[in-house]
């Protein structure tokens, strides 16, 4: 758990797997592996671990608590309610169980009762935080940004919210278009935590979703100038530079970044990948992949981009072989073959493309984003029954999601509502 909390995911996973190998009935390790798979979007793999955990969790306080978390993840809210109530029967002052219980009640639709539970918990412990922020996030999951703000602001006004939750509140204000308040809140969060990162970058992504590339870049650069930006968001910043047409500026940025940071990786590869998305051309993509390889600046993302570029270049067998190696070395990687399949379909090779999308699906290495893409392509190819089955799997996992970005998320081919699917394809 220490490794997991520090972000050392692979080390934590290896230890959890070692525990299960020596003690197969230890449910807590299986539960953690389930949470990891669920976070990655590997829903079916997560369910297998959750089932194993539930079969073996002891009937003690921690066991019931983990049961409640798992049942919440699998949307079995009535059973989750029972589990958290059992925890509170054993330990009435376990406040993380109280907040999770309130969250379950909120997910079942009774926000009034949930708010009363949190209010009572706050009355008993003046140091308790983030309860209303967490409850408001349920509204956000339903795209009810205004409703989320109304609840989450209760914690902010009472000083009962951690800085990273202030960032989440700021994002809600961005969603409703109140950018002045959103920026003010990010500044406040940064004042509260000197180590907090990516606040402005996350706001920028909201602008990117509406193709306001310049607005997105402006906000992301704020984090870069303050040294408040992490590796993944630097890559997104470069993407915004490319999308605004500042190709030379993006190259200069990577040049300087590499000079000042020896741990920087995949910068040129990501630049080339962004250029491919913007133009559909592959020669710059291949050029920059070679540059990262020459500089020995390639990590997992760079290897993935190299495989996809090989596919675009017509070398499908080498691309598949390369991707298989990546998968064998990195058990938490998803969607590698799915992306490759999508690229093939864009090149009119529907048979091979659908086969690769199906490969990730059968191996439980496909996220809900790419499961929707796979469903969409199946529908286009008149494989209606399987398409409906896949789409319904996603709806079951994300029942409140209404908008689906088809294709690559940053530059989708189209955005479809749940109703669009149901009408157009008679689901």
């Amino acid at each position: 758990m220490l490794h997991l909390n520090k972000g050392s995911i692979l080390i934590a996973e290896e230890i959890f797997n070692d525990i299960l190998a020596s003690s197969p009935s230890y449910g807590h390790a299986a539960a953690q592996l389930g949470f990891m798979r669920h976070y990655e979007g590997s829903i079916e793999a997560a369910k297998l671990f959750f089932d194993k955990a539930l079969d073996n969790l002891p009937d003690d306080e921690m066991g019931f608590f983990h049961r409640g978390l798992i049942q919440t993840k699998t949307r079995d809210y009535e059973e989750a309610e029972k589990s958290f109530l059992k925890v509170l029967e054993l330990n009435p002052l376990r406040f993380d169980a109280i907040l999770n219980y309130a969250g379950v009640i909120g997910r079942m639709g009774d926000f009034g009762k949930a708010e009363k539970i949190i209010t009572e918990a706050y009355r008993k412990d003046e140091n308790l935080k983030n309860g209303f922020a967490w409850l408001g996030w349920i509204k956000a999951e339903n795209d009810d940004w205004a409703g989320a703000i109304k609840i989450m602001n209760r914690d902010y006004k009472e000083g009962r919210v951690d800085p990273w939750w202030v960032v989440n509140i700021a994002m809600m204000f961005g969603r409703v278009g109140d950018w002045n308040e959103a920026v003010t809140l990010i500044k406040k969060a940064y004042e509260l935590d000197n180590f907090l990162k990516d606040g402005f970058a996350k706001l920028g992504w909201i602008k990117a979703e509406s193709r306001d590339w310049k607005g997105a870049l402006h906000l992301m650069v704020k984090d870069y100038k303050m040294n408040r930006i992490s590796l993944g968001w630097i890559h997104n910043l470069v993407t915004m530079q490319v999308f605004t047409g500042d190709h030379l500026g993006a190259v200069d940025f990577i040049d300087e970044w590499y000079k000042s940071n020896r741990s920087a990786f995949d910068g040129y590869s990501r630049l080339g990948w962004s250029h491919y998305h913007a133009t559909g051309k592959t020669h710059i993509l291949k050029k920059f992949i070679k540059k990262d390889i020459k500089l020995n600046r390639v990590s997992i993302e760079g290897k993935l981009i190299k495989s996809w570029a090989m596919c675009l270049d017509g070398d499908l067998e080498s691309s598949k072989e390369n991707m298989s190696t990546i998968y064998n070395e990195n058990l938490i990687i998803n969607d590698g073959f799915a992306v490759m399949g999508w690229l093939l379909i864009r090149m009119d090779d529907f048979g091979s493309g659908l086969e690769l999308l199906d490969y990730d699906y059968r191996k439980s290495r496909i996220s809900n984003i790419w499961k929707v893409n796979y469903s969409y392509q199946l529908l286009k190819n008149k494989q209606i029954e399987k398409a409906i089955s896949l789409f319904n799997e996603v709806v079951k996992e994300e029942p409140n999601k209404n908008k689906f970005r088809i294709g690559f998320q940053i530059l989708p081919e189209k955005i479809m509502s749940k109703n669009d699917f149901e009408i157009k394809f008679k689901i």
Side-chain angles (χ1 to χ4, degrees), residues 63-309:
F64 282 115
F65 183 74
H66 259 137
R67 277 195 179 123
L69 293 178
I70 291 168
Q71 288 156 342
T72 302
K73 286 291 187 184
T74 56
R75 303 185 186 279
D76 190 355
Y77 297 134
E78 291 184 0
E79 290 303 312
E81 180 184 7
K82 294 176 184 177
S83 294
F84 289 128
L85 285 173
K86 185 64 177 179
V87 175
L88 295 174
E89 179 184 319
L90 296 168
N91 182 358
L93 296 179
R94 177 154 185 174
F95 290 107
D96 55 353
I98 293 173
L99 296 183
N100 275 282
Y101 170 50
V104 167
I105 298 301
R107 291 185 185 283
M108 294 170 71
D110 194 343
F111 280 89
K113 181 178 178 181
E115 290 185 53
K116 289 179 180 178
I117 293 169
I118 294 170
T119 299
E120 179 63 17
Y122 277 8
R123 187 185 65 78
K124 293 179 180 178
D125 185 351
E126 64 181 14
N127 296 314
L128 199 59
K129 293 182 177 181
N130 307 321
F132 290 115
W134 193 7
L135 187 62
W137 197 253
I138 299 172
K139 294 275 190 181
E141 291 172 350
N142 298 333
D143 294 348
D144 180 3
W145 318 121
I149 290 171
K150 183 178 179 181
I151 296 176
M152 298 170 88
N153 251 352
R154 291 181 63 175
D155 275 341
Y156 179 70
K157 290 177 179 178
E158 294 176 15
R160 284 189 180 260
V161 62
D162 287 323
W164 64 278
W165 268 112
V166 176
V167 171
N168 289 336
I169 297 171
M171 290 171 65
M172 296 303 100
F173 279 99
R175 292 289 184 188
V176 300
D178 189 346
W179 293 102
N180 289 334
E181 182 65 17
V183 168
T184 298
L185 285 169
I186 296 297
K187 291 178 179 178
K188 181 63 176 179
Y190 281 1
E191 289 174 6
L192 294 170
D193 186 344
N194 291 328
F195 298 99
L196 195 61
K197 292 185 176 183
D198 304 325
F200 286 114
K202 290 176 180 178
L203 280 187
W205 195 255
I206 296 172
K207 287 185 175 285
E209 287 180 347
S210 59
R211 300 201 177 201
D212 180 2
W213 312 127
K214 289 183 178 180
L217 179 61
H218 174 74
L219 286 167
M220 291 178 183
V221 167
K222 284 180 178 289
D223 275 339
Y224 181 74
K225 288 180 176 179
M226 291 187 289
N227 197 28
R228 293 262 199 172
I229 193 166
S230 58
L231 176 65
W233 283 104
I234 285 181
H235 288 162
N236 290 333
L237 185 158
V238 173
T239 297
M240 295 303 104
Q241 281 186 290
V242 173
F243 286 1
T244 58
D246 187 11
H247 176 73
L248 293 178
V251 174
D252 290 342
F253 181 91
I254 299 299
D255 288 343
E256 292 301 316
W257 183 41
Y258 273 17
K259 287 177 184 177
S260 63
N261 191 334
R262 292 185 178 183
S263 63
F265 290 95
D266 307 321
Y268 292 112
S269 299
R270 181 62 182 261
L271 189 158
W273 185 238
S274 299
H275 194 275
Y276 164 73
H277 281 300
T279 67
K281 299 177 182 178
T282 61
H283 65 285
I284 291 179
L285 170 60
K286 290 185 287 184
K287 168 188 170 183
F288 282 123
I289 289 172
K290 289 178 181 177
K291 192 165 185 176
D292 266 343
I293 293 172
K294 184 178 180 180
L295 293 171
N296 194 27
R297 295 275 195 161
V298 180
S299 73
I300 298 303
E301 184 174 4
K303 291 178 180 178
L304 288 168
I305 292 172
K306 179 184 175 183
S307 289
W308 298 329

